[in-house]
Amino acid sequence: MDVSEIIIPGDTPGTEWRLPVLRFKGHDPRAPKIYIQAALHAGELPGTVLLHFLCERLRQAENQGGIAGDITIVPQANPIGAAQSHFGELQGRFDLGSRTNFNRDFPLISITDRATLIEDLDDYPATDRLKRQLLHLALGADLVLDLHCDDESLQYAYIDEAFWPEAADLAAALDMEAVLLSDGESSAFEEAVGFAWKYEVPGERRSRLPGKLSVTVELRGKRDVDPVLAKKDADGLWRFLAARGIVGDEKPAATVFSGPAVPLDNVEIIRTPEGGAVLFHRDIGERIAEGELLATIVTRPGQPGGSIELTAPQDGLILTRTSDRLVRRRSDLMKIACDEPSKASRKAGTLEN
């Protein structure tokens, strides 16, 4: 395993950020190359610990000549966000300087322009330098996994329709409970990777990308940083690597993804009409029917009519739930994967900011 660092100068004198990059060199030039990163939202750590255990197994395989395809791993992809705390709370989702989500505003370029990402880097602030160098690393691979987590959540993924159903092997290997089929219309990291491949010929969009994959994996919730789960997920990711011919000599027996795979238009996001204390009546992983009580918002404690009941707009599977119990008006409470499109309007792109 080769370990190197990308040094990102800070925007004020005397500061810099170090981005460790781990590389395993494959012996078969025909094998796919894969790039895996975690903790782009710096407080989302299930992917970081997964990669810790996966690298143990990869080092053993390397010693035995078992690495076929090149593997590049960035286990802590956001040192800038990891250093941001406000009143003792880590603020790793949004850059405190620009107020931009660390997983937005990645450059949308053609793969033919990959080299331009790291040209004239001194012209960019630190957060943009970080994003450009991460995207440059990823576009050197065939398969790209961006490991995130939600708040309280099942295991699921955002997968561009251009990669589906070929990517069902990843969903099966990681024992995902749902897949959300995205439209590739945002500047998030995995969609910027897909954009570069789709527009290999500038101005001409490819709708299918055989042999390619760019996915956001949601590894349950923020508190699911657990050695048992991390090792289970590392084993699942190993099975995916083996099935794709990147590691090992034998491909494992194929498994089948049996969960729902629904477009983003079929995701109901339950939002609270007023602020208050949340009393949940249903939990993640439960299937609910239209009209069932999901949550009560206590808006004016002790007063007549001082609470609001929220019900399910249609049948579905509860994917996520907020861990907050005091919420603001229009806060997101739940995501529900449904068979039918939501009646709520949705902008193209990601579900959240």
Side-chain angles (χ1 to χ4, degrees):
M1 182 179 74
D2 175 72
V3 181
S4 61
E5 285 187 328
I6 294 174
I7 298 176
I8 301 170
D11 298 328
T12 55
T15 62
E16 66 179 21
W17 314 104
R18 293 178 178 269
L19 184 70
V21 181
L22 317 181
R23 291 182 174 89
F24 296 87
K25 181 67 176 175
H27 61 73
D28 184 354
R30 299 167 299 177
K33 299 177 182 179
I34 189 167
Y35 171 86
I36 313 171
Q37 71 178 26
L40 181 56
H41 289 145
E44 299 179 359
L45 296 178
T48 298
V49 293
L50 180 163
L51 293 177
H52 175 71
F53 291 112
L54 179 66
C55 284
E56 288 183 356
R57 192 160 182 179
L58 290 175
R59 287 193 296 271
Q60 293 174 2
E62 184 179 47
N63 292 335
Q64 299 166 1
I67 306 291
D70 291 352
I71 302 170
T72 302
I73 293 176
V74 180
Q76 292 176 304
N78 187 359
I80 300 174
Q84 293 185 160
S85 289
H86 184 64
F87 295 125
E89 296 289 334
L90 177 64
Q91 305 293 315
R93 185 176 182 86
F94 296 93
D95 174 39
L96 294 184
S98 66
R99 295 179 288 180
T100 302
N101 189 320
F102 281 110
N103 193 23
R104 302 293 184 272
D105 289 356
F106 279 86
L108 299 178
I109 64 163
S110 168
I111 186 65
T112 58
D113 297 322
R114 178 191 174 215
T116 64
L117 288 167
I118 54 173
E119 293 176 355
D120 301 317
L121 283 175
D122 288 342
D123 294 342
Y124 298 95
T127 52
D128 288 341
R129 290 169 71 113
L130 173 68
K131 292 177 182 180
R132 297 178 78 87
Q133 297 204 69
L134 290 175
L135 186 58
H136 182 266
L137 284 171
L139 290 177
D142 305 299
L143 313 175
V144 174
L145 306 183
D146 190 15
L147 306 183
H148 287 253
C149 69
D150 214 300
D151 198 344
E152 295 177 357
S153 175
L154 301 181
Q155 187 117 305
Y156 72 100
Y158 292 96
I159 302 179
D160 192 314
E161 293 175 344
F163 307 116
W164 191 260
E166 292 85 355
D169 61 341
L170 175 66
L174 281 174
D175 204 17
M176 291 180 190
E177 296 177 82
V179 165
L180 303 185
L181 300 174
S182 59
D183 46 26
E185 295 297 324
S186 85
S187 58
F189 175 80
E190 54 101 353
E191 295 194 339
V193 172
F195 184 98
W197 291 334
K198 290 175 188 176
Y199 291 94
E200 182 175 3
V201 178
E204 295 183 16
R205 187 181 189 277
R206 299 166 63 194
S207 60
R208 305 300 298 175
L209 296 167
K212 298 290 189 181
L213 180 62
S214 181
V215 174
T216 294
V217 177
E218 301 285 356
L219 294 164
R220 305 178 193 85
K222 284 186 177 180
R223 294 189 178 185
D224 293 317
V225 183
D226 176 273
V228 174
L229 291 176
K231 290 176 183 178
K232 176 181 181 292
D233 293 338
D235 289 343
L237 194 46
W238 175 271
R239 288 193 295 272
F240 170 73
L241 297 177
R244 290 291 181 115
I246 299 172
V247 299
D249 297 323
E250 297 182 4
K251 293 186 178 181
T255 55
V256 178
F257 170 66
S258 58
V262 304
L264 295 188
D265 286 339
N266 289 31
V267 178
E268 297 281 6
I269 299 182
I270 308 302
R271 295 184 172 94
T272 177
E274 294 186 36
V278 183
L279 303 174
F280 282 114
H281 300 282
R282 304 304 297 267
D283 203 349
I284 58 172
E286 294 184 346
R287 293 193 173 273
I288 46 91
E290 180 180 351
E292 284 191 28
L293 180 61
L294 300 176
T296 299
I297 312 299
V298 180
T299 56
R300 294 177 297 280
Q303 300 183 39
S307 64
I308 301 170
E309 292 187 343
L310 303 179
T311 59
Q314 60 170 309
D315 299 357
L317 171 69
I318 300 176
L319 278 183
T320 74
R321 198 174 74 169
T322 183
S323 62
D324 293 334
R325 294 300 181 266
L326 177 63
V327 295
R328 300 165 66 90
R329 181 180 288 110
R330 301 300 294 166
S331 291
D332 295 350
L333 298 181
M334 289 177 166
K335 295 190 196 82
I336 304 174
C338 304
D339 292 334
E340 302 296 330
S342 170
K343 293 180 181 179
S345 61
R346 183 182 75 84
K347 295 180 181 179
T350 53
L351 290 176
E352 300 164 315
N353 291 326

